[in-house]
Short mmCIF file of all heavy atoms in Angstrom, two decimals:
data_model
loop_
_atom_site.label_atom_id
_atom_site.label_comp_id
_atom_site.label_asym_id
_atom_site.label_seq_id
_atom_site.Cartn_x
_atom_site.Cartn_y
_atom_site.Cartn_z
N GLU Q 24 -26.46 88.38 48.07
CA GLU Q 24 -27.10 88.38 46.75
C GLU Q 24 -26.06 88.28 45.62
O GLU Q 24 -26.31 87.52 44.66
CB GLU Q 24 -27.95 89.63 46.60
CG GLU Q 24 -28.80 89.75 45.34
CD GLU Q 24 -28.06 90.38 44.21
OE1 GLU Q 24 -27.12 91.19 44.40
OE2 GLU Q 24 -28.43 90.09 42.99
N ARG Q 25 -24.94 89.01 45.73
CA ARG Q 25 -23.99 88.94 44.67
C ARG Q 25 -23.24 87.61 44.70
O ARG Q 25 -22.89 87.10 43.61
CB ARG Q 25 -22.95 90.08 44.88
CG ARG Q 25 -23.60 91.48 44.70
CD ARG Q 25 -22.56 92.58 44.72
NE ARG Q 25 -23.11 93.87 44.54
CZ ARG Q 25 -22.45 95.03 44.53
NH1 ARG Q 25 -21.14 95.00 44.70
NH2 ARG Q 25 -23.12 96.18 44.36
N LEU Q 26 -22.97 87.13 45.90
CA LEU Q 26 -22.31 85.83 45.95
C LEU Q 26 -23.22 84.74 45.33
O LEU Q 26 -22.69 83.88 44.63
CB LEU Q 26 -22.00 85.46 47.41
CG LEU Q 26 -21.28 84.14 47.66
CD1 LEU Q 26 -19.88 84.23 47.09
CD2 LEU Q 26 -21.17 83.96 49.18
N GLY Q 27 -24.45 84.85 45.55
CA GLY Q 27 -25.39 83.89 44.95
C GLY Q 27 -25.36 83.94 43.43
O GLY Q 27 -25.47 82.91 42.80
N ARG Q 28 -25.23 85.15 42.87
CA ARG Q 28 -25.24 85.29 41.45
C ARG Q 28 -23.94 84.63 40.83
O ARG Q 28 -23.97 84.11 39.83
CB ARG Q 28 -25.36 86.74 41.08
CG ARG Q 28 -26.75 87.37 41.25
CD ARG Q 28 -26.76 88.80 40.91
NE ARG Q 28 -26.38 89.03 39.56
CZ ARG Q 28 -26.24 90.30 39.00
NH1 ARG Q 28 -26.46 91.27 39.75
NH2 ARG Q 28 -25.89 90.42 37.77
N VAL Q 29 -22.81 84.86 41.55
CA VAL Q 29 -21.57 84.32 41.10
C VAL Q 29 -21.66 82.77 41.06
O VAL Q 29 -21.30 82.09 40.11
CB VAL Q 29 -20.39 84.73 41.96
CG1 VAL Q 29 -19.12 83.98 41.54
CG2 VAL Q 29 -20.19 86.21 41.82
N ARG Q 30 -22.16 82.20 42.16
CA ARG Q 30 -22.25 80.78 42.28
C ARG Q 30 -23.25 80.20 41.27
O ARG Q 30 -23.00 79.09 40.69
CB ARG Q 30 -22.68 80.35 43.67
CG ARG Q 30 -21.54 80.44 44.68
CD ARG Q 30 -21.99 80.18 46.13
NE ARG Q 30 -20.82 80.05 46.99
CZ ARG Q 30 -20.82 80.32 48.28
NH1 ARG Q 30 -21.96 80.66 48.90
NH2 ARG Q 30 -19.77 80.20 49.05
N ALA Q 31 -24.31 80.89 41.02
CA ALA Q 31 -25.30 80.41 40.07
C ALA Q 31 -24.78 80.49 38.60
O ALA Q 31 -25.16 79.63 37.79
CB ALA Q 31 -26.62 81.20 40.20
N ALA Q 32 -23.96 81.43 38.33
CA ALA Q 32 -23.46 81.63 36.97
C ALA Q 32 -22.54 80.47 36.57
O ALA Q 32 -22.61 80.00 35.37
CB ALA Q 32 -22.70 82.92 36.91
N VAL Q 33 -21.74 79.97 37.49
CA VAL Q 33 -20.77 78.83 37.17
C VAL Q 33 -20.91 77.84 38.34
O VAL Q 33 -20.00 77.75 39.15
CB VAL Q 33 -19.35 79.38 36.97
CG1 VAL Q 33 -18.51 78.32 36.35
CG2 VAL Q 33 -19.32 80.67 36.09
N PRO Q 34 -21.94 77.04 38.31
CA PRO Q 34 -22.19 76.20 39.46
C PRO Q 34 -21.13 75.07 39.75
O PRO Q 34 -21.06 74.57 40.88
CB PRO Q 34 -23.59 75.58 39.14
CG PRO Q 34 -23.70 75.70 37.69
CD PRO Q 34 -23.00 76.90 37.34
N GLY Q 35 -20.41 74.75 38.78
CA GLY Q 35 -19.34 73.70 38.98
C GLY Q 35 -18.09 74.17 39.69
O GLY Q 35 -17.28 73.33 40.01
N VAL Q 36 -17.95 75.47 39.97
CA VAL Q 36 -16.83 76.05 40.55
C VAL Q 36 -17.07 76.10 42.07
O VAL Q 36 -18.12 76.59 42.50
CB VAL Q 36 -16.46 77.45 39.96
CG1 VAL Q 36 -15.31 78.09 40.80
CG2 VAL Q 36 -16.06 77.27 38.53
N ASP Q 37 -16.09 75.75 42.90
CA ASP Q 37 -16.16 75.92 44.34
C ASP Q 37 -15.76 77.33 44.65
O ASP Q 37 -14.65 77.72 44.59
CB ASP Q 37 -15.14 74.89 44.97
CG ASP Q 37 -15.05 75.08 46.47
OD1 ASP Q 37 -16.03 75.58 47.07
OD2 ASP Q 37 -14.02 74.68 47.04
N VAL Q 38 -16.78 78.10 45.06
CA VAL Q 38 -16.57 79.53 45.35
C VAL Q 38 -16.49 79.70 46.88
O VAL Q 38 -17.45 79.38 47.57
CB VAL Q 38 -17.73 80.41 44.81
CG1 VAL Q 38 -17.47 81.86 45.17
CG2 VAL Q 38 -17.85 80.26 43.29
N VAL Q 39 -15.33 80.10 47.35
CA VAL Q 39 -15.04 80.24 48.77
C VAL Q 39 -15.16 81.74 49.10
O VAL Q 39 -14.38 82.51 48.61
CB VAL Q 39 -13.69 79.64 49.15
CG1 VAL Q 39 -13.44 79.98 50.63
CG2 VAL Q 39 -13.62 78.21 48.83
N ASP Q 40 -16.03 82.13 50.01
CA ASP Q 40 -16.20 83.50 50.39
C ASP Q 40 -15.44 83.72 51.75
O ASP Q 40 -15.83 83.26 52.80
CB ASP Q 40 -17.66 83.77 50.65
CG ASP Q 40 -18.06 85.24 50.72
OD1 ASP Q 40 -17.62 85.93 49.81
OD2 ASP Q 40 -18.74 85.65 51.69
N ALA Q 41 -14.27 84.39 51.61
CA ALA Q 41 -13.46 84.58 52.77
C ALA Q 41 -13.69 85.90 53.45
O ALA Q 41 -13.45 86.93 52.87
CB ALA Q 41 -11.96 84.48 52.39
N PRO Q 42 -14.22 85.89 54.70
CA PRO Q 42 -14.56 87.18 55.32
C PRO Q 42 -13.36 87.99 55.83
O PRO Q 42 -13.46 89.17 56.05
CB PRO Q 42 -15.40 86.73 56.49
CG PRO Q 42 -14.99 85.33 56.83
CD PRO Q 42 -14.57 84.78 55.50
N ASP Q 43 -12.20 87.30 56.02
CA ASP Q 43 -11.03 88.00 56.49
C ASP Q 43 -9.82 87.45 55.87
O ASP Q 43 -9.84 86.40 55.21
CB ASP Q 43 -10.95 87.97 58.01
CG ASP Q 43 -11.12 86.54 58.54
OD1 ASP Q 43 -10.45 85.69 58.03
OD2 ASP Q 43 -11.88 86.35 59.53
N GLU Q 44 -8.67 88.14 56.08
CA GLU Q 44 -7.43 87.68 55.45
C GLU Q 44 -6.95 86.24 55.96
O GLU Q 44 -6.51 85.48 55.15
CB GLU Q 44 -6.31 88.66 55.78
CG GLU Q 44 -4.98 88.31 55.01
CD GLU Q 44 -3.85 89.31 55.21
OE1 GLU Q 44 -3.96 90.14 56.21
OE2 GLU Q 44 -2.93 89.33 54.39
N ALA Q 45 -7.20 86.00 57.22
CA ALA Q 45 -6.83 84.68 57.71
C ALA Q 45 -7.60 83.56 57.03
O ALA Q 45 -7.02 82.51 56.70
CB ALA Q 45 -7.12 84.58 59.28
N SER Q 46 -8.91 83.80 56.74
CA SER Q 46 -9.68 82.80 56.03
C SER Q 46 -9.19 82.65 54.55
O SER Q 46 -9.11 81.51 54.02
CB SER Q 46 -11.13 83.24 56.03
OG SER Q 46 -11.62 83.29 57.37
N ALA Q 47 -8.78 83.78 53.96
CA ALA Q 47 -8.25 83.75 52.53
C ALA Q 47 -6.97 82.96 52.56
O ALA Q 47 -6.76 82.08 51.66
CB ALA Q 47 -8.08 85.12 52.05
N ILE Q 48 -6.13 83.20 53.47
CA ILE Q 48 -4.83 82.48 53.57
C ILE Q 48 -5.10 80.96 53.78
O ILE Q 48 -4.42 80.07 53.12
CB ILE Q 48 -3.95 82.97 54.70
CG1 ILE Q 48 -3.49 84.41 54.39
CG2 ILE Q 48 -2.73 82.10 54.97
CD1 ILE Q 48 -2.80 85.13 55.51
N ALA Q 49 -6.04 80.61 54.61
CA ALA Q 49 -6.30 79.18 54.92
C ALA Q 49 -6.91 78.43 53.71
O ALA Q 49 -6.80 77.24 53.65
CB ALA Q 49 -7.23 79.08 56.08
N THR Q 50 -7.58 79.11 52.81
CA THR Q 50 -8.29 78.49 51.75
C THR Q 50 -7.61 78.64 50.34
O THR Q 50 -7.94 77.99 49.37
CB THR Q 50 -9.72 78.94 51.63
OG1 THR Q 50 -9.76 80.38 51.50
CG2 THR Q 50 -10.50 78.56 52.87
N VAL Q 51 -6.68 79.61 50.17
CA VAL Q 51 -6.13 79.92 48.90
C VAL Q 51 -5.12 78.91 48.38
O VAL Q 51 -4.88 78.84 47.17
CB VAL Q 51 -5.50 81.34 48.92
CG1 VAL Q 51 -4.09 81.29 49.54
CG2 VAL Q 51 -5.34 81.90 47.48
N GLY Q 52 -4.63 78.00 49.26
CA GLY Q 52 -3.68 76.96 48.88
C GLY Q 52 -4.17 76.12 47.78
O GLY Q 52 -3.48 75.57 46.93
N GLU Q 53 -5.52 75.83 47.81
CA GLU Q 53 -6.14 74.94 46.83
C GLU Q 53 -6.90 75.73 45.74
O GLU Q 53 -7.63 75.13 44.98
CB GLU Q 53 -7.09 74.01 47.55
CG GLU Q 53 -6.43 73.09 48.56
CD GLU Q 53 -5.38 72.17 47.86
OE1 GLU Q 53 -5.63 71.66 46.77
OE2 GLU Q 53 -4.26 72.04 48.44
N ALA Q 54 -6.67 77.00 45.72
CA ALA Q 54 -7.41 77.83 44.74
C ALA Q 54 -6.79 77.96 43.36
O ALA Q 54 -5.52 78.06 43.38
CB ALA Q 54 -7.65 79.21 45.37
N ASP Q 55 -7.53 77.94 42.34
CA ASP Q 55 -7.07 78.23 41.05
C ASP Q 55 -7.24 79.70 40.60
O ASP Q 55 -6.48 80.16 39.74
CB ASP Q 55 -7.89 77.32 40.03
CG ASP Q 55 -7.86 75.91 40.39
OD1 ASP Q 55 -6.92 75.23 40.03
OD2 ASP Q 55 -8.78 75.43 41.10
N ALA Q 56 -8.15 80.35 41.32
CA ALA Q 56 -8.46 81.77 40.99
C ALA Q 56 -8.71 82.55 42.21
O ALA Q 56 -9.11 81.95 43.25
CB ALA Q 56 -9.70 81.83 40.05
N PHE Q 57 -8.60 83.85 42.13
CA PHE Q 57 -8.73 84.66 43.33
C PHE Q 57 -9.35 85.96 42.88
O PHE Q 57 -8.97 86.58 41.80
CB PHE Q 57 -7.39 84.94 43.99
CG PHE Q 57 -7.46 85.87 45.26
CD1 PHE Q 57 -7.65 85.33 46.48
CD2 PHE Q 57 -7.36 87.27 45.06
CE1 PHE Q 57 -7.75 86.15 47.59
CE2 PHE Q 57 -7.41 88.10 46.15
CZ PHE Q 57 -7.67 87.53 47.43
N PHE Q 58 -10.30 86.50 43.62
CA PHE Q 58 -10.90 87.79 43.34
C PHE Q 58 -10.91 88.66 44.59
O PHE Q 58 -11.33 88.15 45.67
CB PHE Q 58 -12.31 87.63 42.91
CG PHE Q 58 -13.11 89.01 42.79
CD1 PHE Q 58 -12.71 89.95 41.97
CD2 PHE Q 58 -14.14 89.17 43.66
CE1 PHE Q 58 -13.39 91.10 41.88
CE2 PHE Q 58 -14.85 90.42 43.60
CZ PHE Q 58 -14.47 91.38 42.68
N GLY Q 59 -10.40 89.87 44.50
CA GLY Q 59 -10.47 90.72 45.63
C GLY Q 59 -9.10 91.31 45.98
O GLY Q 59 -8.22 91.61 45.16
N LYS Q 60 -8.91 91.59 47.28
CA LYS Q 60 -7.73 92.25 47.82
C LYS Q 60 -6.58 91.25 48.00
O LYS Q 60 -6.51 90.60 49.06
CB LYS Q 60 -8.05 92.98 49.10
CG LYS Q 60 -6.90 93.72 49.68
CD LYS Q 60 -7.32 94.38 51.03
CE LYS Q 60 -6.15 95.14 51.68
NZ LYS Q 60 -6.46 95.77 52.88
N MET Q 61 -5.66 91.22 47.02
CA MET Q 61 -4.49 90.34 47.10
C MET Q 61 -3.51 90.99 48.06
O MET Q 61 -3.25 92.16 47.94
CB MET Q 61 -3.93 90.09 45.77
CG MET Q 61 -2.67 89.18 45.79
SD MET Q 61 -2.96 87.59 46.60
CE MET Q 61 -3.90 86.69 45.33
N THR Q 62 -2.89 90.19 48.93
CA THR Q 62 -1.83 90.65 49.81
C THR Q 62 -0.60 89.76 49.73
O THR Q 62 -0.80 88.55 49.23
CB THR Q 62 -2.28 90.66 51.32
OG1 THR Q 62 -2.47 89.34 51.76
CG2 THR Q 62 -3.62 91.44 51.45
N PRO Q 63 0.58 90.16 50.14
CA PRO Q 63 1.71 89.32 50.04
C PRO Q 63 1.50 87.98 50.82
O PRO Q 63 1.96 86.89 50.35
CB PRO Q 63 2.82 90.11 50.70
CG PRO Q 63 2.42 91.57 50.36
CD PRO Q 63 0.92 91.55 50.48
N ALA Q 64 0.88 88.04 51.95
CA ALA Q 64 0.63 86.81 52.73
C ALA Q 64 -0.29 85.83 52.07
O ALA Q 64 -0.09 84.63 52.12
CB ALA Q 64 0.04 87.22 54.11
N ILE Q 65 -1.34 86.37 51.42
CA ILE Q 65 -2.20 85.46 50.69
C ILE Q 65 -1.56 84.85 49.50
O ILE Q 65 -1.61 83.71 49.21
CB ILE Q 65 -3.53 86.29 50.16
CG1 ILE Q 65 -4.39 86.70 51.42
CG2 ILE Q 65 -4.35 85.40 49.28
CD1 ILE Q 65 -5.49 87.66 51.01
N LEU Q 66 -0.76 85.67 48.77
CA LEU Q 66 -0.07 85.15 47.57
C LEU Q 66 0.93 84.10 47.99
O LEU Q 66 1.10 83.10 47.25
CB LEU Q 66 0.62 86.30 46.85
CG LEU Q 66 1.21 85.90 45.50
CD1 LEU Q 66 0.14 85.48 44.51
CD2 LEU Q 66 1.92 87.13 44.88
N ALA Q 67 1.62 84.31 49.06
CA ALA Q 67 2.59 83.35 49.53
C ALA Q 67 2.03 82.00 49.91
O ALA Q 67 2.62 80.99 49.78
CB ALA Q 67 3.41 83.87 50.76
N ALA Q 68 0.68 82.10 50.26
CA ALA Q 68 0.05 80.80 50.64
C ALA Q 68 -0.53 80.05 49.43
O ALA Q 68 -0.93 78.89 49.58
CB ALA Q 68 -1.07 81.04 51.67
N ALA Q 69 -0.58 80.69 48.33
CA ALA Q 69 -1.20 80.09 47.07
C ALA Q 69 -0.13 79.14 46.46
O ALA Q 69 1.00 79.47 46.25
CB ALA Q 69 -1.56 81.19 46.14
N THR Q 70 -0.69 77.95 46.12
CA THR Q 70 0.26 77.00 45.49
C THR Q 70 -0.05 76.68 44.00
O THR Q 70 0.79 76.18 43.31
CB THR Q 70 0.21 75.65 46.31
OG1 THR Q 70 -1.14 75.17 46.30
CG2 THR Q 70 0.68 75.87 47.68
N ARG Q 71 -1.29 77.02 43.60
CA ARG Q 71 -1.65 76.61 42.20
C ARG Q 71 -2.46 77.74 41.52
O ARG Q 71 -3.15 77.52 40.55
CB ARG Q 71 -2.34 75.32 42.17
CG ARG Q 71 -3.77 75.41 42.80
CD ARG Q 71 -4.37 73.95 42.75
NE ARG Q 71 -5.82 73.98 43.00
CZ ARG Q 71 -6.59 72.94 43.26
NH1 ARG Q 71 -5.96 71.73 43.41
NH2 ARG Q 71 -7.89 73.00 43.43
N LEU Q 72 -2.34 78.95 42.07
CA LEU Q 72 -3.09 80.02 41.55
C LEU Q 72 -2.72 80.39 40.07
O LEU Q 72 -1.54 80.53 39.76
CB LEU Q 72 -2.85 81.28 42.42
CG LEU Q 72 -3.94 82.33 42.48
CD1 LEU Q 72 -5.26 81.76 42.99
CD2 LEU Q 72 -3.50 83.49 43.45
#
Side-chain angles (χ1 to χ4, degrees):
E24 185 271 334
R25 293 186 181 183
L26 183 62
R28 288 178 59 186
V29 173
R30 285 175 168 155
V33 193
V36 174
D37 176 23
V38 179
V39 177
D40 195 51
D43 51 46
E44 186 178 17
S46 299
I48 291 171
T50 55
V51 78
E53 298 301 315
D55 306 276
F57 179 90
F58 170 66
K60 182 181 178 181
M61 178 56 74
T62 68
I65 294 173
L66 188 63
T70 59
R71 68 184 196 194
L72 206 57

